[in-house]
Amino acid sequence: MESISLVDTSTDPIPNIVLFVAGAAEEEPLEATVGARDADGIRKAWQQVASEHAITAGQVTQIHSMWEPSVPDKEYAERTFPGVELTAAFPRPAEDGWDEAFVRAQQVMDEANEARGEDVDGEPDGALMPLLRSASSPGNEQIQELMPHFFLIPDGIYATLARVGWTPHGTIGMLHLLHQNITEQAEFEAQVAQAMRSMSNGLTANYGANDEGDELIVVSRRDELPAAGALCLDGFHEWISGIRGWQDLTVAIICPERLLITPTGTAQAEMLRREVMEADDEHLHNHPELLPSLLRVTSDGMELVAEAGYPAL
């Protein structure tokens, strides 16, 4: 694939790559790179591609842009390529929102790249487990387009699947399951069932109370991998309520590695709420996919009570 640099994009961490398909969908697209903020990026890219490859607008069947074009640029595309589908990977932000948009886009691309990253746990497989994600986190729509998922709390928290394990370098490696890896719904359901079995293996629940009588159960994994996905298990409420007889649970997710649980309506529950809402910016940046969250879990289901806001970037 040829790449044509049209403008100085040094100020744009993620430039706008525009692809033009001429003919059948399987044809190799013609590529041009323009500035992400260019209000006339489609026009600039087309001028260069048309000149380099001697093709006409009538031969173009698809256009894909890394960044959503400006309104005038969309109008140009509609006039120049009538009836041709124009898609974009990332939405165009307001003029004062580009810095944040670049950060969010990089997070999405990093997650996708991890699917081709290093093996986990010293082998290609690792343990398939559910990874929780906040529906309000940056790049959420793009993640859902890349990865099959299911909602734990509608419009609140959902889960994707990944093979997770410790790498030889002492870091946690993840190989994410992508839509391209799944051919039918039944296959995804089988993968989910496998992930639930993996998650249930190695979970621990430790109970403690301080001098004031504040009680807390901490759910984690013996291998120190992310344990927040335990909330996806069908018997989660029954398991925890059976430890101390608590029926109405307040569950705090401060980080993906553990769940903090206490009875709803207690002083400890209020303390967990404050910890969630006061999570510092560094923590939020370390785990942007899952914002610190407070849940209420009963035998009837679960609800999202509160979550920390994403910090200004």
Side-chain angles (χ1 to χ4, degrees):
M1 182 182 300
E2 298 182 48
S3 179
I4 308 166
S5 181
L6 307 180
V7 296
D8 179 6
T9 60
S10 60
T11 60
D12 292 343
I14 303 174
N16 192 16
I17 299 173
V18 184
L19 305 177
F20 297 88
V21 177
E26 61 269 17
E27 292 293 328
E28 185 78 2
L30 307 174
E31 175 182 326
T33 302
V34 299
R37 301 173 228 226
D38 286 354
D40 56 351
I42 299 296
R43 180 181 64 80
K44 288 180 176 179
W46 171 241
Q47 288 176 346
Q48 289 292 325
V49 165
S51 174
E52 289 287 331
H53 299 279
I55 64 172
T56 66
Q59 294 175 269
V60 174
T61 55
Q62 294 179 40
I63 305 172
H64 181 74
S65 177
M66 177 75 79
W67 291 99
E68 179 185 10
S70 67
V71 172
D73 217 17
K74 288 180 182 177
E75 294 173 349
Y76 166 81
E78 290 171 359
R79 292 192 308 270
T80 308
F81 312 98
V84 173
E85 182 182 17
L86 171 60
T87 58
F90 301 110
R92 190 177 190 85
E95 285 306 312
D96 61 354
W98 278 103
D99 288 345
E100 181 177 353
F102 286 137
V103 171
R104 294 184 179 186
Q106 188 63 58
Q107 291 166 348
V108 172
M109 291 190 297
D110 287 347
E111 295 234 11
N113 287 336
E114 283 182 358
R116 300 182 295 274
E118 84 185 307
D119 295 343
V120 298
D121 209 17
E123 57 185 28
D125 293 334
L128 186 68
M129 294 195 296
L131 299 178
L132 298 190
R133 299 177 181 276
S134 300
S136 58
S137 65
N140 162 64
E141 293 182 358
Q142 288 78 22
I143 289 296
Q144 291 185 28
E145 290 177 1
L146 285 169
M147 304 177 190
H149 56 277
F150 61 91
F151 270 87
L152 188 63
I153 300 175
D155 300 321
I157 294 178
Y158 65 102
T160 58
L161 305 183
R163 295 196 177 277
V164 185
W166 289 99
T167 73
H169 306 294
T171 59
I172 294 177
M174 297 183 184
L175 298 178
H176 296 277
L177 185 69
L178 305 180
H179 279 297
Q180 65 191 44
N181 306 132
I182 299 294
T183 58
E184 56 186 28
Q185 181 63 24
E187 183 180 357
F188 178 56
E189 292 172 356
Q191 297 275 32
V192 170
Q194 180 183 341
M196 295 305 108
R197 291 192 294 270
S198 297
M199 175 53 66
S200 62
N201 292 330
L203 282 175
T204 66
N206 296 310
Y207 166 79
N210 60 22
D211 293 340
E212 287 72 39
D214 298 323
E215 299 179 295
L216 189 70
I217 290 175
V218 180
V219 172
S220 59
R221 292 182 56 87
R222 284 188 290 270
D223 53 18
E224 298 183 351
L225 295 175
L231 282 164
C232 299
L233 298 174
D234 287 339
F236 178 80
H237 178 268
E238 182 180 7
W239 173 41
I240 298 300
S241 63
I243 297 175
R244 296 293 297 172
W246 306 339
Q247 297 302 314
D248 195 330
L249 310 174
T250 288
V251 181
I253 310 173
I254 309 298
C255 67
E257 284 72 33
R258 64 189 60 84
L259 300 172
L260 308 178
I261 308 169
T262 199
T264 298
T266 61
Q268 185 70 13
E270 175 59 23
M271 183 181 299
L272 292 181
R273 186 193 68 81
R274 289 198 301 271
E275 286 190 37
V276 165
M277 301 309 295
E278 295 172 2
D280 58 29
D281 286 4
E282 180 179 358
H283 179 87
L284 290 163
H285 281 299
N286 288 339
H287 303 287
E289 74 287 352
L290 180 60
L291 303 179
S293 305
L294 193 73
L295 287 68
R296 183 182 180 188
V297 180
T298 68
S299 59
D300 295 326
M302 61 183 68
E303 62 178 307
L304 180 61
V305 177
E307 67 179 7
Y310 196 75
L313 297 175

